[in-house]
């Protein structure tokens, strides 16, 4: 039986990937770091807790990483563990760097030193393009990172390429553009919008506080994107952009989500004074709050997935409208007295 170790299994992507690999017959090991309560909500929701082998792993601790890898000797290692919230990386740049860069180095160095033959997948990111130097972004577009998160991920990305070249380690990076789902963390803007709209629909007086509404992203669906990870790791080591090539602004995501929630959204004002009202109730549902602006932001991303389509046959299958419908339905159900889906 083939085996895979997923760091970050408790996160959005880790849970969906584990589900796919289990269905494909892999023995899946999931790296979990200690917390005061177990963060297994997503794995429970997908009903795969009993089918995963959870191991205690803190990626910043070299001996921990080395011992787990040499004990399990997995065929595949997916490195998804990260401090993944860009805004938080401005407050915690050292922690972000240790997890995202040193964590990756610990894994690669352990594979190198132990001589185990694991194939390695690195969760690289479109954030590395930062203030983009060409449009759409491809595997050839230079990086121009705009946050400690993006810098740490760019450093890890180069490290992966270096271990591939220098030591022949079968390591690949997927440069994934933003991907969302019902299991997305609530601090990211898409889930913040759909979950807080659901609270308002269910009677809360909350007014959603957002930052830059003009920011534009290339949003895909996480269950589609984890399929690309599995294709990448199982082919010749290389780097691939994974994206949809379609763009949507934060304002438009809010407008479409409000409509999907049954509201009639209308925007008034500009800049910091911009507000969104539900014309069905005349209630204020969203206002701009400068606390959610970043010291430096990435305001535009659009990926070209031509290489992965041509070489590995992957294409996105879910458009942003469908993603919004799915997330909205999930959050409306969760807030309307139905079981809270394990707190996700
Ligand atoms: P996520 O939901 O934030 O999950 C991050 C995972 O990393 C969680 O399981 C977390 O564990 C784990 N982790 C954090 N610090 C750790 C540490 N020190 N030791 C061990 N595990 C640790 O992220 P995601 O959205 O699934 O993204 C997965 C990966 O893809 C990340 O590397 C992210 O940077 C990258 N990425 C994501 C996107 C996207 O749009 N989602 C796009 C490009 C790249 P806890 O549950 O204990 O916190
Ligand atoms: N989170 C958040 N909250 N973002 C907001 C808000 C808000 O209230 N208001 C506006 N935004 C803008 C951000 O400034 C950013 O330009 C955009 O919405 C998207 O923010 P996030 O959803 O937090 O995602 P991200 O693009 O910064 O990072 C995500 O995608 C990356 C891939 O490009 C994360 O998943 C990263 O881990 C991932 O690498």
């Amino acid at each position: 039986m083939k085996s895979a170790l997923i760091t970050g299994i408790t996160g959005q992507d880790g849970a969906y990937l584990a589900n796919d690999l289990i269905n494909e017959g892999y023995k899946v090991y999931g790296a979990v770091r200690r917390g005061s309560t177990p963060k297994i909500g997503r794995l429970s929701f997908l009903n795969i807790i009993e089918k995963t082998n959870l191991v205690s792993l803190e990626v910043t601790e070299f001996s921990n990483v080395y011992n787990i890898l040499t004990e399990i000797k997995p065929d595949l290692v997916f490195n998804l563990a990260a401090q993944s919230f860009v805004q938080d990386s401005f407050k915690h740049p050292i922690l972000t760097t240790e997890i995202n860069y040193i964590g990756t180095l610990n894994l690669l160095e352990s594979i190198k030193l132990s001589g185990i033959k694991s194939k390695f997948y690195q969760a690289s990111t479109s954030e590395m393009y930062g203030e983009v130097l060409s449009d759409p972004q491809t595997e050839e577009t230079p990086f121009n990172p705009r946050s400690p998160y993006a810098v740490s991920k760019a450093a890890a990305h180069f490290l992966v390429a270096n271990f591939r070249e220098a030591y022949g380690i079968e390591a690949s990076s997927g440069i994934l553009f933003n991907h969302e789902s019902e299991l997305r963390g609530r601090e990211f803007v898409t889930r913040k919008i759909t979950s807080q709209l659901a609270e308002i629909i269910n009677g809360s007086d909350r007014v959603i506080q957002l930052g830059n509404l003009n920011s534009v992203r290339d949003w895909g669906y996480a269950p589609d994107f984890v399929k690309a990870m599995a294709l990448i790791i199982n082919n010749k080591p290389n780097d691939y952009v994974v994206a949809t090539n379609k763009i949507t602004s934060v304002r438009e995501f809010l407008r479409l989500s409000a409509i999907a929630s049954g509201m009639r959204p209308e925007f008034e004002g500009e800049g910091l004074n911009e507000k969104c009202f539900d014309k069905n109730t005349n209630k204020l549902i969203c206002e701009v709050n400068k606390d959610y602006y970043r010291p430096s932001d990435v305001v535009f991303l659009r990926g070209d997935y031509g290489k992965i389509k041509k070489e590995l046959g992957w294409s996105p299958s879910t458009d942003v409208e469908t993603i919004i419908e799915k997330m909205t339905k999930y959050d409306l159900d969760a807030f309307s007295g139905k079981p809270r889906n394990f707190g996700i």
Side-chain angles (χ1 to χ4, degrees):
M1 187 185 222
K2 286 210 159 205
S3 62
L5 171 70
I6 303 174
T7 73
I9 196 167
T10 55
Q12 169 188 258
D13 291 5
Y16 283 124
L17 178 64
N19 193 39
D20 279 5
L21 293 177
I22 288 165
N23 288 336
E24 284 169 26
Y26 279 87
K27 178 163 189 180
V28 172
Y29 293 92
V32 182
R33 59 175 168 171
R34 195 206 156 263
S36 63
T37 52
K39 294 187 197 159
I40 51 170
R42 294 182 174 96
L43 302 176
S44 300
F45 178 69
L46 295 174
N47 211 12
I48 54 172
I49 275 287
E50 305 300 329
K51 298 172 193 156
T52 49
N53 302 274
L54 298 182
V55 292
S56 172
L57 181 65
E58 166 54 64
V59 293
T60 59
E61 194 66 49
F62 177 76
S63 61
N64 188 192
V65 173
Y66 185 88
N67 288 336
I68 291 287
L69 275 178
T70 50
E71 189 186 319
I72 297 174
K73 298 186 184 61
D75 295 296
L76 309 179
V77 175
F78 291 90
N79 182 29
L80 310 188
Q83 192 304 92
S84 73
F85 190 33
V86 175
Q87 189 164 340
D88 213 45
S89 76
F90 290 99
K91 281 192 205 134
H92 302 122
I94 296 170
L95 178 70
T96 302
T97 304
E98 280 175 354
I99 298 173
N100 299 3
Y101 176 70
I102 301 293
T104 306
L105 181 56
N106 284 339
L107 286 155
L108 290 168
E109 191 71 357
S110 295
I111 293 173
K112 183 189 100 186
L113 290 176
S114 66
I116 61 171
K117 296 292 170 216
S118 308
K119 289 181 160 196
F120 184 86
Y121 173 90
Q122 170 64 10
S124 287
T125 165
S126 50
E127 281 290 310
M128 301 186 303
Y129 297 118
E131 190 170 347
V132 298
L133 297 173
S134 66
D135 175 44
Q137 295 85 58
T138 70
E139 294 77 5
E140 309 307 323
T141 305
F143 300 150
N144 191 15
R146 302 265 285 163
S147 65
Y149 168 80
V151 172
S152 71
K153 282 285 188 172
H157 181 87
F158 286 125
L159 200 59
V160 171
N162 179 248
F163 271 65
R164 186 165 66 211
E165 286 163 17
Y167 310 115
I169 287 173
E170 292 193 70
S172 299
S173 294
I175 306 174
L176 270 58
F177 283 61
N178 297 51
H179 45 280
E180 317 299 309
S181 74
E182 299 89 319
L183 303 188
R184 184 60 144 151
R186 286 170 195 266
E187 66 276 40
F188 300 100
V189 74
T190 56
R191 187 82 197 288
K192 179 173 176 180
I193 289 171
T194 60
S195 63
Q196 295 191 9
L197 283 171
E199 282 183 51
I200 295 169
I201 288 279
N202 283 288
S204 156
D205 286 333
R206 180 196 276 282
V207 176
I208 305 171
Q209 310 286 308
L210 293 181
N212 186 2
L213 299 181
N214 294 318
S215 193
V216 165
R217 286 292 183 274
D218 175 341
W219 274 301
Y221 192 44
D224 281 354
F225 278 40
V226 298
K227 293 194 172 21
M229 295 179 186
L231 279 175
I232 291 170
I233 201 172
N234 280 308
N235 279 281
K236 195 165 164 259
N238 210 327
D239 299 336
Y240 290 96
V241 163
V242 181
T244 74
N245 197 240
K246 298 277 183 326
I247 51 171
T248 310
S249 68
V250 171
R251 180 183 297 99
E252 182 64 0
F253 194 99
L254 170 64
R255 194 183 73 79
L256 293 171
S257 302
I259 292 170
S261 304
M263 296 178 176
R264 202 151 53 91
E266 266 183 33
F267 290 83
E268 288 174 20
E270 279 180 16
L272 287 175
N273 295 318
E274 187 165 356
K275 297 183 188 325
C276 181
F277 294 86
D278 173 14
K279 287 294 168 181
N280 286 338
T281 58
N282 282 325
K283 265 171 76 170
L284 174 65
I285 55 171
C286 178
E287 62 190 0
V288 173
N289 181 336
K290 65 176 172 22
D291 291 349
Y292 292 98
Y293 275 76
R294 296 173 184 179
S296 52
D297 199 5
V298 174
V299 294
F300 180 91
L301 289 171
R302 169 171 31 205
D304 176 348
Y305 62 92
K307 179 177 170 183
I308 191 169
K309 183 178 179 193
K310 184 161 173 256
E311 295 186 8
L312 307 184
W314 181 90
S315 299
S317 69
T318 316
D319 61 22
V320 76
E321 288 81 5
T322 309
I323 297 168
I324 287 171
E325 269 170 36
K326 287 174 183 286
M327 292 175 69
T328 300
K329 181 174 180 325
Y330 179 92
D331 280 324
L332 286 174
D333 283 353
F335 281 97
S336 65
K338 296 194 183 168
R340 285 293 305 276
N341 296 339
F342 308 96
I344 305 156

